[in-house]
Coordinates of all heavy atoms in Angstrom, one line a residue:
S361 N 0.5 14.6 5.3 CA -0.6 15.5 5.4 C -1.7 14.8 6.3 O -1.5 13.6 6.6 CB -1.2 15.8 4.0 OG -1.7 14.6 3.4
G362 N -2.7 15.6 6.7 CA -3.8 15.0 7.5 C -3.7 15.3 9.0 O -4.7 14.9 9.7
G363 N -2.7 16.0 9.4 CA -2.7 16.3 10.9 C -3.7 17.4 11.2 O -4.3 18.0 10.3
G364 N -3.8 17.7 12.5 CA -4.7 18.7 12.9 C -5.0 18.7 14.4 O -4.3 18.0 15.1
L365 N -5.9 19.5 14.8 CA -6.3 19.6 16.2 C -7.6 18.8 16.4 O -8.6 19.1 15.8 CB -6.5 21.0 16.6 CG -7.1 21.3 18.0 CD1 -6.2 20.8 19.1 CD2 -7.3 22.8 18.2
V366 N -7.6 17.8 17.3 CA -8.8 17.0 17.6 C -9.0 16.9 19.1 O -8.1 17.2 19.8 CB -8.7 15.7 16.9 CG1 -8.7 15.8 15.4 CG2 -7.6 14.9 17.5
Q367 N -10.2 16.4 19.4 CA -10.4 16.1 20.9 C -10.1 14.6 21.2 O -10.1 13.8 20.3 CB -11.9 16.4 21.2 CG -12.2 17.9 21.1 CD -13.6 18.2 21.5 OE1 -14.5 17.4 21.5 NE2 -13.8 19.4 22.0
A368 N -9.9 14.4 22.4 CA -9.7 13.0 22.9 C -10.8 12.1 22.4 O -12.0 12.5 22.6 CB -9.5 12.9 24.4
G369 N -10.5 10.9 21.9 CA -11.5 10.0 21.4 C -11.7 10.1 19.9 O -12.4 9.2 19.3
D370 N -11.3 11.2 19.3 CA -11.5 11.4 17.9 C -10.5 10.6 17.0 O -9.6 9.9 17.6 CB -11.3 12.9 17.5 CG -12.5 13.7 18.0 OD1 -13.6 13.1 18.4 OD2 -12.4 15.0 17.9
S371 N -10.7 10.6 15.7 CA -9.9 9.9 14.8 C -9.3 10.9 13.8 O -9.8 11.9 13.5 CB -10.7 8.8 14.0 OG -11.2 7.9 14.9
L372 N -8.1 10.5 13.2 CA -7.5 11.2 12.1 C -6.8 10.1 11.2 O -6.5 9.0 11.7 CB -6.4 12.1 12.6 CG -6.7 13.5 13.1 CD1 -5.4 14.2 13.7 CD2 -7.3 14.3 12.1
R373 N -6.7 10.5 9.9 CA -5.9 9.6 9.0 C -4.8 10.5 8.4 O -5.1 11.5 7.7 CB -6.8 9.0 8.0 CG -6.0 8.0 7.1 CD -6.8 7.3 6.1 NE -7.0 8.1 4.9 CZ -7.3 7.5 3.7 NH1 -7.4 6.2 3.6 NH2 -7.5 8.3 2.7
L374 N -3.6 10.1 8.7 CA -2.5 10.7 8.1 C -2.1 10.0 6.8 O -2.3 8.8 6.6 CB -1.3 10.7 9.0 CG -1.4 11.2 10.4 CD1 -0.1 11.2 11.2 CD2 -2.0 12.6 10.4
S375 N -1.6 10.8 5.8 CA -1.2 10.3 4.6 C 0.3 10.7 4.3 O 0.7 11.8 4.8 CB -2.1 10.8 3.4 OG -3.4 10.4 3.6
C376 N 1.0 9.9 3.6 CA 2.4 10.2 3.3 C 2.5 9.9 1.8 O 2.5 8.7 1.4 CB 3.3 9.4 4.1 SG 5.1 9.6 3.6
A377 N 2.6 10.9 1.0 CA 2.7 10.7 -0.5 C 4.2 10.7 -0.8 O 5.0 11.5 -0.4 CB 2.0 11.8 -1.2
A378 N 4.6 9.7 -1.6 CA 6.0 9.5 -2.0 C 6.2 9.8 -3.5 O 5.3 9.5 -4.3 CB 6.4 8.1 -1.7
A379 N 7.3 10.4 -3.8 CA 7.6 10.6 -5.2 C 9.0 10.1 -5.4 O 9.9 10.3 -4.6 CB 7.6 12.1 -5.6
G380 N 9.3 9.4 -6.5 CA 10.6 8.9 -6.8 C 10.4 7.5 -7.4 O 9.3 6.9 -7.5
R381 N 11.5 6.9 -7.8 CA 11.5 5.6 -8.5 C 11.3 4.5 -7.5 O 11.7 4.5 -6.4 CB 12.8 5.4 -9.3 CG 13.0 6.4 -10.4 CD 14.2 5.9 -11.2 NE 15.4 5.7 -10.4 CZ 16.4 4.9 -10.8 NH1 16.4 4.3 -12.0 NH2 17.5 4.8 -10.0
T382 N 10.7 3.5 -8.0 CA 10.5 2.2 -7.3 C 10.0 2.4 -5.9 O 10.6 1.8 -5.0 CB 11.8 1.4 -7.4 OG1 12.8 2.0 -6.7 CG2 12.1 1.0 -8.8
Y383 N 9.0 3.2 -5.7 CA 8.5 3.4 -4.3 C 8.1 2.1 -3.7 O 8.2 1.9 -2.5 CB 7.3 4.4 -4.4 CG 6.4 4.3 -3.2 CD1 6.8 4.9 -2.0 CD2 5.2 3.6 -3.2 CE1 6.0 4.8 -0.9 CE2 4.4 3.5 -2.1 CZ 4.8 4.2 -1.0 OH 4.0 4.1 0.1
S384 N 7.6 1.2 -4.5 CA 7.1 -0.1 -4.0 C 8.2 -0.9 -3.4 O 7.9 -1.9 -2.7 CB 6.3 -0.9 -5.1 OG 7.2 -1.1 -6.2
S385 N 9.4 -0.6 -3.6 CA 10.5 -1.3 -3.0 C 11.0 -0.8 -1.7 O 12.1 -1.1 -1.2 CB 11.7 -1.4 -4.0 OG 11.3 -2.1 -5.2
Y386 N 10.3 0.2 -1.2 CA 10.7 0.8 0.1 C 9.8 0.4 1.2 O 8.5 0.5 1.1 CB 10.6 2.3 -0.1 CG 11.7 2.9 -0.9 CD1 11.6 2.9 -2.3 CD2 12.8 3.5 -0.3 CE1 12.7 3.4 -3.1 CE2 13.9 4.0 -1.1 CZ 13.8 3.9 -2.5 OH 14.8 4.5 -3.2
A387 N 10.4 -0.1 2.3 CA 9.6 -0.3 3.5 C 9.4 1.1 4.1 O 10.2 2.0 4.0 CB 10.4 -1.1 4.5
M388 N 8.2 1.3 4.8 CA 7.8 2.6 5.3 C 7.6 2.5 6.8 O 7.2 1.5 7.3 CB 6.5 3.0 4.6 CG 6.6 3.1 3.1 SD 7.8 4.3 2.5 CE 7.0 5.9 3.1
G389 N 7.7 3.7 7.4 CA 7.5 3.7 8.8 C 6.9 5.1 9.2 O 7.0 6.1 8.5
W390 N 6.2 5.1 10.3 CA 5.7 6.3 10.9 C 6.4 6.5 12.3 O 6.5 5.5 13.1 CB 4.2 6.3 11.1 CG 3.4 6.5 9.9 CD1 2.8 5.6 9.1 CD2 3.1 7.8 9.3 NE1 2.2 6.2 8.1 CE2 2.3 7.5 8.2 CE3 3.4 9.1 9.6 CZ2 1.8 8.5 7.4 CZ3 2.9 10.1 8.8 CH2 2.1 9.8 7.7
F391 N 6.9 7.7 12.6 CA 7.5 8.0 13.8 C 6.8 9.3 14.3 O 6.1 10.0 13.6 CB 9.0 8.3 13.6 CG 9.8 7.1 13.3 CD1 9.7 6.5 12.0 CD2 10.5 6.4 14.2 CE1 10.4 5.4 11.6 CE2 11.2 5.3 13.9 CZ 11.2 4.8 12.6
R392 N 7.0 9.6 15.6 CA 6.5 10.8 16.1 C 7.5 11.4 17.2 O 8.3 10.7 17.8 CB 5.1 10.6 16.8 CG 5.1 9.7 18.0 CD 3.7 9.5 18.5 NE 3.7 8.6 19.7 CZ 2.6 8.2 20.2 NH1 1.4 8.4 19.7 NH2 2.6 7.4 21.3
Q393 N 7.4 12.8 17.3 CA 8.2 13.5 18.2 C 7.4 14.5 19.0 O 6.9 15.4 18.4 CB 9.4 14.1 17.5 CG 10.4 14.7 18.5 CD 11.7 15.0 17.7 OE1 11.8 15.1 16.5 NE2 12.8 15.1 18.5
A394 N 7.3 14.3 20.3 CA 6.6 15.3 21.1 C 7.6 16.3 21.6 O 8.8 16.1 21.7 CB 6.0 14.6 22.3
P395 N 7.2 17.5 22.0 CA 8.1 18.5 22.5 C 9.0 18.0 23.6 O 8.5 17.5 24.6 CB 7.1 19.7 23.0 CG 5.9 19.5 22.2 CD 5.8 18.0 22.0
G396 N 10.3 18.3 23.5 CA 11.2 17.9 24.6 C 11.5 16.4 24.6 O 12.2 16.0 25.6
K397 N 11.0 15.6 23.7 CA 11.3 14.2 23.7 C 11.9 13.8 22.4 O 11.9 14.5 21.4 CB 9.9 13.4 23.8 CG 9.3 13.7 25.2 CD 8.1 12.7 25.4 CE 7.4 12.9 26.7 NZ 6.3 12.0 26.9
E398 N 12.5 12.6 22.4 CA 13.2 12.0 21.3 C 12.1 11.5 20.3 O 11.0 11.1 20.7 CB 14.2 10.9 21.7 CG 15.4 11.4 22.4 CD 16.4 10.3 22.6 OE1 16.1 9.2 22.3 OE2 17.5 10.6 23.1
R399 N 12.5 11.4 19.0 CA 11.6 10.8 18.0 C 11.5 9.3 18.4 O 12.4 8.6 18.6 CB 12.2 11.0 16.6 CG 11.3 10.7 15.5 CD 11.8 11.1 14.2 NE 12.0 12.6 14.2 CZ 12.4 13.3 13.1 NH1 12.5 12.6 11.9 NH2 12.6 14.6 13.1
E400 N 10.2 8.9 18.3 CA 10.0 7.5 18.6 C 9.2 6.8 17.5 O 8.4 7.4 16.8 CB 9.2 7.4 20.0 CG 7.8 7.9 19.9 CD 7.0 7.7 21.2 OE1 7.5 7.1 22.1 OE2 5.8 8.1 21.2

């Protein structure tokens, strides 16, 4: 959650809520995918 439309120079904070056992034993990552491009 936390995405949206902003102007250049602005800030956003994305959140990722997890449900399930032993969440603290999971390494986490953020990736992004722009139109026509691979996920990076």
Side-chain angles (χ1 to χ4, degrees):
S361 61
L365 172 63
V366 298
Q367 294 186 332
D370 285 350
S371 298
L372 277 176
R373 187 176 80 157
L374 305 183
S375 299
C376 174
R381 293 192 308 163
T382 61
Y383 162 77
S384 60
S385 297
Y386 286 81
M388 303 295 294
W390 284 98
F391 293 77
R392 65 187 182 186
Q393 188 166 17
K397 295 187 177 181
E398 292 188 353
R399 192 169 299 187
E400 66 174 0

